[in-house]
Amino acid sequence: MVPRRSWVEQIMGLPISVLGRGDGAGSGRAAAAVREVYAELTAIDRMFSPYKADSAVSLLAHGELSWDRVDPLVREVAERCAAAQEMTDGLFDAEAPGGMWDPSGLVKGWSVERAGERLREVVEVDWCLNAGGDVLVICPSGEPFSVGIQNPRDPSSVVTSVRRTGGAVATSGTAARGAHLYDPRTSRPVESRWLSVSVSGPSLEYADVLATAAFVAGDEWPTVLPPHYEGLGVLADGNLFSTPGWAES
């Protein structure tokens, strides 16, 4: 049996797990890379969490920090949010109803992908990094991981799974946190017959943004996905619909 080792920590208000597979999974080098991943994600959460009073996001919202004094990383994320808004024709917007800048919809995927670069340096190990259902897969061996898509009607089960040797899978919906997603076009909670939309593709940052935009789009969600990204939607009646390349993406 191929050696495996797993880690999990609570960051950003959700469990972030790392699974290492391969002869080097139990090595000190692998453990050090995972520690670096968690340290980076903790630092990013400290900077961007809207729930921490001293985060840049909170200080900006309360007028205690101006844009000309923010950390360059905050400015970079703001630029990425603007690009995501343009890419999705406004279906993704970091400005929450009421005018507060909240980049949470981009930060999770972006930060996990960014931190995951530490794992790529340990080339003798395959990695699966899961941040609350948003998954980054790195498989130097070429052997795939099976990524489960959570059943939005029963979080203890999955509706299906996909095999991936690299890239990302991200899911957006209301099952876990209720009606927390807003339609930027109306500033109202999203109402949809879809319970969730999952997106698979090369970048977790983009997959995460596109999953949010696709869920907001409702029945038109497949048209939101650009080339190299595929999707799977779960309807309220339990039926599934996927784009043509979902199984191979």
Side-chain angles (χ1 to χ4, degrees):
M1 180 176 291
V2 179
R4 294 172 178 245
R5 184 176 177 186
S6 60
W7 299 258
V8 63
E9 288 196 16
Q10 193 84 6
I11 306 172
M12 300 181 181
L14 47 86
I16 297 181
S17 65
V18 181
L19 172 62
R21 181 185 65 191
D23 290 339
S27 68
R29 187 162 174 245
V34 173
R35 285 196 299 271
E36 290 177 1
V37 167
Y38 285 137
E40 181 162 356
L41 292 175
T42 298
I44 288 174
D45 183 46
R46 192 178 302 120
M47 182 177 293
F48 289 101
S49 173
Y51 305 107
K52 298 184 185 299
D54 59 347
S55 73
V57 170
S58 295
L59 295 175
L60 283 166
H62 298 138
E64 299 174 36
L65 179 66
S66 59
W67 277 103
D68 60 349
R69 295 179 57 199
V70 298
D71 187 284
L73 204 57
V74 177
R75 198 170 292 110
E76 177 188 335
V77 165
E79 291 170 356
R80 288 177 178 274
C81 287
Q85 183 179 15
E86 182 176 354
M87 177 179 68
T88 61
D89 291 327
L91 291 169
F92 174 90
D93 192 341
E95 185 172 303
M100 177 182 175
W101 183 66
D102 181 2
S104 301
L106 179 138
V107 162
K108 184 172 70 165
W110 164 79
S111 63
V112 170
E113 187 165 29
R114 175 187 170 98
E117 291 300 310
R118 311 296 181 92
L119 303 178
R120 293 186 189 277
E121 298 171 7
V122 188
V123 297
E124 65 273 19
V125 179
D126 294 336
W127 299 100
C128 183
L129 174 53
N130 186 335
D134 291 349
V135 180
L136 178 68
V137 174
I138 304 166
C139 293
S141 73
E143 290 294 322
F145 280 108
S146 183
V147 179
I149 305 300
Q150 187 179 62
N151 183 345
R153 298 176 300 167
D154 178 9
S156 66
S157 66
V158 298
V159 292
T160 188
S161 62
V162 287
R163 290 166 65 81
R164 295 290 181 266
T165 58
V169 180
T171 299
S172 184
T174 58
R177 296 173 54 194
H180 70 289
L181 293 175
Y182 287 81
D183 187 335
R185 300 166 298 184
T186 64
S187 296
R188 296 180 59 82
V190 175
E191 295 182 2
S192 176
R193 67 193 186 106
W194 300 89
L195 293 182
S196 68
V197 177
S198 299
V199 174
S200 177
S203 164
L204 183 56
E205 176 185 347
Y206 287 164
D208 197 15
V209 165
L210 289 167
T212 298
F215 187 79
V216 170
D219 287 351
E220 301 302 314
W221 70 259
T223 66
V224 174
L225 306 183
H228 309 301
Y229 288 84
E230 303 290 341
L232 173 79
V234 181
L235 285 162
D237 62 9
N239 284 320
L240 309 181
F241 175 84
S242 64
T243 55
W246 168 257
E248 294 79 29
S249 63

